[in-house]
Amino acid sequence: MIRRLPPLLSLWLALAALPGCSLFGGNWDGKQSTLDNERQTAARVNNVLDRSPEGLYAAGIEALQARRYQPAVDLFDQVERDHPLSAWATNAKIMSAYGEYMRNRYTEAIGALDRFIQLHPAHRDIAYAYYLRALCYYEQIAEADRDQRTTEQAMAALQDVVNRFPDSAYARDARLKLDLGRDHLAGKEMNIGRFYQRQKLYGAAIGRFKKVVEDYQTTNHVPEALHRLTEIYLTLGLVDEAKKTAAVLGHNFPGSPWYQDSYALLVGGATPAPGDRPGFARRAWNWIF
């Protein structure tokens, strides 16, 4: 997944009032081993000349801009430790979470954001905190054939952003990501339904395919789900149910290859759609629609 950096809003703007602060001497050539870099982190933090909350915070931002995320997190954490009552400490909490997010340390980022949200519910960047928390879940979404627990968590977190901040840019982006989350969950149901169908557990398969049709109507899995239901109904000899389901498929998705397949199952001499599709299973039926 290509990561788009989330905006930092007023947290970046706060830098305008800060003096320049150099955290690293010279240019880093990117050839140090990870272990060496870890060992030098503490020394770099301790070498910050301006150890005021403003100075530490500015050094943390400089580290972020240089993509040196661990030193940035350490500096923001030091602002909290050394100057817990300063206004910079509050901003440092969310910036530390952002640094953890950029390191793909999602558990740590979510924990930090949960604490920030609990302690600062009226903060000017509270919407961003909720959004960044949702991104931490969203970027862990697994493929459709794996456990979708993280997808469900991401969906809940994204919906929270939409519900709390409906007119924000964060809500607009969250709505787009919710669509992808629904597609993943529908794909999970389809995978399970196909498995049940192959095992001839038709009742269980019908339940999964109906769930896709009823609960995930906006996803691109619905045409296949309707076709699978048509297949199963014909297998069970429920011709009227098969015809009704195929009619729904044809009415809503008339150009879909899945409708062409369903039509071929029901109408003698009709040709199924060319090419393979997920879980494709051809059956030769000679029913008249």
Side-chain angles (χ1 to χ4, degrees):
M1 178 182 295
I2 297 175
R3 169 174 288 176
R4 182 183 61 170
L5 302 186
L8 297 182
L9 297 181
S10 56
L11 300 180
W12 291 110
L13 298 179
L15 293 177
L18 294 176
C21 176
S22 178
L23 176 58
F24 305 104
N27 294 323
W28 183 58
D29 61 8
K31 296 181 180 179
Q32 292 172 291
S33 70
T34 301
L35 180 60
D36 288 341
N37 194 40
E38 296 286 333
R39 288 173 175 172
Q40 293 181 23
T41 297
R44 287 168 174 161
V45 171
N46 291 331
N47 286 335
V48 175
L49 298 179
D50 184 355
R51 305 188 66 80
S52 67
E54 296 93 332
L56 291 170
Y57 187 89
I61 293 295
E62 181 182 341
L64 279 183
Q65 292 173 327
R67 299 181 183 274
R68 297 170 182 139
Y69 299 119
Q70 183 190 342
V73 169
D74 291 341
L75 283 159
F76 293 128
D77 289 346
Q78 188 167 353
V79 173
E80 289 190 71
R81 288 195 306 270
D82 295 354
H83 309 279
L85 301 181
S86 70
W88 296 102
T90 302
N91 280 353
K93 288 184 177 71
I94 194 169
M95 296 304 290
S96 177
Y98 176 77
E100 296 287 26
Y101 161 79
M102 292 303 298
R103 296 171 68 196
N104 298 326
R105 289 168 55 92
Y106 298 115
T107 300
E108 291 77 5
I110 290 169
L113 290 163
D114 283 341
R115 291 189 295 274
F116 179 87
I117 290 168
Q118 182 178 6
L119 293 172
H120 309 285
H123 193 272
R124 67 190 177 209
D125 291 310
I126 192 66
Y128 177 74
Y130 275 97
Y131 174 72
L132 184 57
R133 180 177 178 273
L135 285 186
C136 290
Y137 285 116
Y138 175 78
E139 293 189 5
Q140 298 180 78
I141 289 179
E143 296 299 325
D145 59 348
R146 299 182 181 178
D147 183 9
Q148 293 299 294
R149 196 174 317 161
T150 302
T151 304
E152 293 169 355
Q153 291 175 317
M155 297 273 289
L158 289 165
Q159 191 63 54
D160 205 17
V161 174
V162 172
N163 293 342
R164 290 175 181 273
F165 315 101
D167 299 323
S168 67
Y170 302 128
R172 290 192 291 274
D173 188 60
R175 290 186 186 98
L176 295 175
K177 289 178 169 57
L178 279 168
D179 287 340
L180 180 60
R182 292 188 188 97
D183 195 76
H184 274 270
L185 293 175
K188 173 74 170 182
E189 297 297 329
M190 291 301 299
N191 284 339
I192 297 173
R194 292 190 205 103
F195 171 78
Y196 285 147
Q197 186 177 6
R198 290 193 299 270
Q199 300 300 313
K200 300 183 179 180
L201 300 171
Y202 297 122
I206 287 172
R208 295 291 179 164
F209 295 139
K210 278 189 172 181
K211 183 176 178 65
V212 172
V213 173
E214 294 169 1
D215 295 350
Y216 302 106
Q217 297 178 8
T218 60
T219 71
N220 59 11
H221 295 282
V222 173
E224 183 190 352
L226 289 167
H227 171 68
R228 297 301 172 197
L229 288 169
T230 302
E231 283 187 322
I232 293 172
Y233 288 142
L234 285 174
T235 300
L236 297 174
L238 302 173
V239 181
D240 288 341
E241 288 298 321
K243 289 180 179 180
K244 291 177 184 177
T245 305
V248 172
L249 175 54
H251 177 75
N252 290 282
F253 308 97
S256 169
W258 295 112
Y259 174 59
Q260 189 173 342
D261 287 346
S262 291
Y263 189 81
L265 293 178
L266 289 159
V267 179
T271 304
D276 293 336
R277 285 165 292 289
F280 186 79
R282 186 78 67 199
R283 291 187 178 89
W285 291 90
N286 197 25
W287 302 100
I288 298 178
F289 186 59

